[in-house]
Amino acid sequence: MQVFYDKDSLSEFIKTQKKLNKKIGFAPTMGALHAGHISLYKEAKRDNDIVVCSIFVNPTQFNNPDDLEKYPRTIDDDIAKLADSSLVDAVYIPKTEDIYPHGMLRKHYDFGGIEKEMEGAARPGHFDGVGTVLEELFRQVQPDNAYFGEKDFQQLKIVEKLVQILDLKIKIHGVKIYREANGLAMSSRNMRLSQKEKETSALIYQTLMHVNDWFKVLSVGEIKSRVKAIFDKENMDLEYFIIADEATLKEVDFYSNDKSFRAFIVVNVGAVRLIDNLHLD
């Protein structure tokens, strides 16, 4: 496994692979790697000759400076995990100037409205930051396939739209959410939870499973009331819960046979903001 710390050395590696007609798979990360990330590289290894990981904590997608400051940075451990996995051929750890050569400028994108829903409403400008960093990483890595976890389902839809806007010949793959034994969605933020908070947070997935049972039986309004009551009873901070059309990400208040639906939830556990979602059968 090779590690590149600047875009010039990465560029030479990519040029060599392209000349050899190697198919490149890529999954970008912000580090603090866990088994959920490794599941992306397992998928990538099946489809590609070369697998590339990037590690870069992207400043332009953070709305809260404290959140950026507290984001875990574990580069040495990350490299060791990737090496142990035997799935990754190259790790790219760019400097800020490799991604933002003209200063920390965030581009603006028209994602057709999906950027204004849910996380977009809660974190203005967030998806412009995501688009900015991914556009640059895609141009540098030049992947044939790119892999993103469904935990950040809205981001996955944003990436699909970004590739369409930029007319990039990259196939985007969504990878199922990787969960802890108690159902908690794997996230780098979980590192900031105490053991007791991790146990408490299992309620998030348990609730989503209840929602899947209630869907098509109860009204959306009744489901939302039940979800709110669950977290009120446990004195947990439910930031939002919605059921949305998977294509448009717009909240719905009724069931329809001709569409696919997904439940989205955000719960603040202590100082940690946890997101999760579930496709509704």
Side-chain angles (χ1 to χ4, degrees), residues 59-125:
T60 66
Q61 68 189 70
F62 285 85
N63 300 82
N64 185 342
D66 290 340
D67 206 15
L68 172 61
E69 183 65 29
K70 291 176 182 176
Y71 196 89
R73 292 162 172 84
T74 56
I75 289 292
D76 291 341
D77 286 345
D78 293 342
I79 292 173
K81 285 178 183 176
L82 293 169
D84 288 345
S85 77
S86 300
L87 298 168
V88 175
D89 300 285
V91 185
Y92 179 38
I93 308 174
K95 299 183 291 293
T96 302
E97 53 267 34
D98 289 318
I99 304 297
Y100 296 100
H102 306 297
M104 211 74 67
L105 302 175
R106 181 165 57 191
K107 294 177 116 178
H108 175 67
Y109 301 87
D110 179 359
F111 291 115
I114 59 173
E115 75 276 19
K116 298 175 183 176
E117 306 297 332
M118 294 181 294
E119 292 300 286
R123 304 165 69 185

Side-chain angles (χ1 to χ4, degrees), residues 85-219:
S85 77
S86 300
L87 298 168
V88 175
D89 300 285
V91 185
Y92 179 38
I93 308 174
K95 299 183 291 293
T96 302
E97 53 267 34
D98 289 318
I99 304 297
Y100 296 100
H102 306 297
M104 211 74 67
L105 302 175
R106 181 165 57 191
K107 294 177 116 178
H108 175 67
Y109 301 87
D110 179 359
F111 291 115
I114 59 173
E115 75 276 19
K116 298 175 183 176
E117 306 297 332
M118 294 181 294
E119 292 300 286
R123 304 165 69 185
H126 169 68
F127 289 118
D128 282 336
V130 170
T132 301
V133 71
L134 287 179
E135 178 176 350
E136 187 59 33
L137 285 170
F138 283 159
R139 294 200 188 284
Q140 292 182 25
V141 177
Q142 300 177 52
D144 299 280
N145 297 285
Y147 300 80
F148 294 84
E150 288 188 352
K151 182 181 75 68
D152 299 294
F153 188 82
Q154 186 175 13
Q155 176 176 274
L156 172 61
K157 304 304 285 187
I158 289 285
V159 176
E160 291 173 349
K161 189 69 174 176
L162 178 71
V163 167
Q164 181 184 336
I165 291 169
L166 299 175
D167 194 26
L168 300 176
K169 307 306 179 188
I170 304 171
K171 185 175 181 181
I172 303 301
H173 301 256
V175 180
K176 288 184 179 180
I177 298 172
Y178 197 95
R179 298 185 180 279
E180 310 242 15
N182 67 359
L184 176 63
M186 282 272 189
S187 170
S188 301
R189 294 170 185 262
N190 294 0
M191 295 171 64
R192 295 168 53 197
L193 296 170
S194 68
Q195 187 57 42
K196 183 177 181 180
E197 287 173 333
K198 279 189 178 181
E199 293 168 5
T200 301
S201 299
L203 183 63
I204 298 170
Y205 181 60
Q206 292 166 8
T207 300
L208 287 174
M209 294 300 288
H210 287 314
V211 170
N212 194 45
D213 292 336
W214 297 331
F215 192 57
K216 299 185 185 179
V217 177
L218 300 176
S219 70

Side-chain angles (χ1 to χ4, degrees), residues 223-239:
I223 292 172
K224 291 182 76 170
S225 294
R226 289 192 178 195
V227 170
K228 183 178 184 301
I230 287 170
F231 288 96
D232 283 349
K233 182 179 178 181
E234 299 298 327
N235 291 316
M236 293 176 71
D237 179 16
L238 175 65
E239 184 175 320

Side-chain angles (χ1 to χ4, degrees), residues 47-60:
D47 303 331
N48 303 276
D49 303 305
I50 298 295
V51 176
V52 179
C53 162
S54 67
I55 300 174
F56 179 70
V57 181
N58 179 37
T60 66

Side-chain angles (χ1 to χ4, degrees), residues 6 114 128 276 279:
D6 62 83
I114 59 173
D128 282 336
D276 205 345
H279 171 76

